[in-house]
Amino acid sequence: DTGVSQDPRHKITKRGQNVTFRCDPISEHNRLYWYRQTLGQGPEFLTYFQNEAQLEKSRLLSNRFSAERPKGSFSTLEIQRTEQGDSAMYLCASSPSANSPLHFGNGTRLTVT
Amino acid sequence: KNQVEQSPQSLIILEGKNCTLQCNYTVSPFSNLRWYKQDTGRGPVSLTIMTFSENTKSNGRYTATLDADTKQSSLHITASQLSDSASYICVVSAWGNDYKLSFGAGTTVTVRA
C-alpha cells in the first residue's frame, strides 16, 4: 500500500499524559499537512511542512502541540499534557505540489479520559 | 474571513436515485475548489478539483459544477449506490495560500436500499 499511513489508529490516554502520532506520507510528496477533525465538522488546519521546513502553524496549535518532519520524510505530532478538548481525529495528508489533491491517511482517533 | 458553507447538513435517499449537494464559499482570491468523500472512520478521498476556468468536472457517477461568479458549487450523485453513503466535503483554496485550505462541515449522505 503506497498511500499515507498513520499510527496508531486509535489512542486512549488519561488527561495530562503526552501522546505522539506518526505519519508516513506518500514517498514522492514533499508537502505534508496535519489536520484535526471533530464529529460533524470538516478538518481544521493545524500545520504544514514543505520538505523538512514547517512553514505554517495554526493558532489552534497551542504551545502544547509540536510537530516535526526530520529529513523531510515521516512526521510526528506530539501533544503534551493532554486535555479532554484534545479528543478528536488527527488527520495527516500529503501532496506533491500546490493545487494537487491532498492524499489523506485514515487518521489517529484520540480519546482523552 | 474565508468560509465554506454546505447544504443540506444531511440527506437520505433511496438507492438508485440522484441527489445534489450545495457549496457556497467566500474564499478570495479563489484558486480552486475540491470535493472529497469521507467514509466513517476514514480519511477524506479526493473526488474532483476545479480551477476558475472549469465549470464542470465528472468522476464516474459524481459530477461537480462551479460558478465562480456566484461562488457556488454543486456535487451531483447519479444513480446512487449503498457505497455512496458518506460525508461529502467541499474544500476551497485561495491564491497565495494554497496550503491553508478552507473546509466545509460536510453533507452526510445516507443511501437506503
Side-chain angles (χ1 to χ4, degrees):
Chain A
D1 185 347
T2 57
V4 177
S5 63
Q6 292 188 244
D7 183 72
R9 287 296 315 276
H10 304 274
K11 178 70 177 179
I12 300 174
T13 190
K14 292 185 177 180
R15 188 177 54 185
Q17 297 296 305
N18 300 342
V19 294
T20 300
F21 310 142
R22 178 182 170 119
C23 171
D24 286 273
I26 294 172
S27 58
E28 59 268 28
H29 289 185
N30 62 356
R31 293 167 172 243
L32 185 146
Y33 313 76
W34 284 99
Y35 291 89
R36 180 171 67 187
Q37 186 177 28
T38 53
L39 197 62
Q41 299 298 317
E44 296 175 292
F45 172 80
L46 291 179
T47 190
Y48 161 68
F49 289 86
Q50 191 162 333
N51 299 311
E52 66 276 10
Q54 188 175 21
L55 298 186
E56 181 78 11
K57 286 175 58 173
S58 166
R59 288 190 300 274
L60 292 174
L61 219 63
S62 75
N63 54 13
R64 297 185 297 106
F65 288 70
S66 62
E68 295 181 341
R69 193 184 182 195
K71 303 178 184 177
S73 55
F74 72 93
S75 176
T76 58
L77 177 68
E78 181 184 15
I79 308 174
Q80 296 182 326
R81 305 180 304 280
T82 52
E83 303 172 354
Q84 286 188 318
D86 297 332
S87 295
M89 174 78 87
Y90 290 83
L91 292 164
C92 175
S94 69
S95 71
S97 62
N99 301 322
S100 296
L102 299 186
H103 296 256
F104 283 87
N106 285 324
T108 293
R109 178 164 296 283
L110 173 66
T111 302
V112 182
T113 62
Chain B
K1 181 181 176 183
N2 291 333
Q3 287 190 315
V4 178
E5 301 289 337
Q6 292 188 242
S7 62
Q9 186 175 16
S10 62
L11 64 92
I12 300 172
I13 57 173
L14 292 177
E15 188 177 14
K17 299 297 186 182
N18 305 335
C19 68
T20 300
L21 316 180
Q22 301 292 339
C23 173
N24 295 337
Y25 62 92
T26 60
V27 177
S28 182
F30 175 82
S31 175
N32 60 69
L33 184 144
R34 311 155 187 229
W35 283 94
Y36 284 83
K37 176 187 179 187
Q38 185 174 24
D39 293 319
T40 300
R42 302 183 67 89
V45 174
S46 178
L47 294 176
T48 63
I49 179 169
M50 290 183 291
T51 61
F52 181 88
S53 59
E54 297 172 295
N55 56 23
T56 187
K57 184 165 279 189
S58 292
N59 178 356
R61 295 178 296 100
Y62 300 103
T63 299
T65 65
L66 172 65
D67 186 334
D69 292 331
T70 61
K71 298 187 176 182
Q72 295 180 323
S73 176
S74 66
L75 180 70
H76 187 75
I77 305 175
T78 302
S80 60
Q81 300 176 358
L82 296 177
S83 60
D84 293 331
S85 294
S87 178
Y88 292 84
I89 303 174
C90 177
V91 186
V92 184
S93 171
W95 272 114
N97 212 2
D98 61 281
Y99 55 83
K100 209 166 182 179
L101 305 176
S102 297
F103 285 75
T107 293
T108 300
V109 174
T110 303
V111 181
R112 290 191 174 160

